[in-house]
Amino acid sequence: FSRDAVRHKSIPASGTCFTVCQISLNTDMWTDDQAKRSYVDVTAFYMENFQLKHAIIACKQFTAERHTAANISSALEDV
């Protein structure tokens, strides 16, 4: 998925995030074994009307060869 494709499908309608008082950000990485590609994403979790909601803030291909702390940090800074 491209960043724009994920963003348009996952972010709630405008205004929702601005009414939320507290959010929790989560990062995740995974590898598509078939395509041999790694990805990194940032997801926001929040409560709305007593229901847990989430929105994918960004998702991008992780192009660094090694999954070191420095490479992961650099990828997250680009998000």
Side-chain angles (χ1 to χ4, degrees), residues 1-77:
F1 296 105
S2 73
R3 180 188 311 186
D4 288 335
V6 171
R7 181 178 294 141
H8 287 107
K9 291 180 182 178
S10 302
I11 299 276
S14 64
T16 301
C17 290
F18 296 109
T19 61
V20 174
C21 295
Q22 296 177 341
I23 64 169
S24 174
L25 295 177
N26 181 59
T27 60
D28 192 17
M29 293 185 70
W30 69 97
T31 301
D32 177 351
D33 290 331
Q34 295 257 334
K36 302 295 184 209
R37 294 183 186 148
S38 294
Y39 297 90
V40 61
D41 79 0
V42 177
T43 305
F45 291 90
Y46 58 96
M47 297 294 290
E48 182 179 75
N49 297 324
F50 300 102
Q51 292 185 344
L52 180 62
K53 305 279 186 163
H54 71 278
I56 297 173
I57 305 300
C59 180
K60 66 178 252 177
Q61 187 174 350
F62 183 77
T63 56
E65 189 170 316
R66 299 186 63 214
H67 292 192
T68 64
N71 290 342
I72 294 168
S73 176
S74 178
L76 290 173
E77 286 176 359

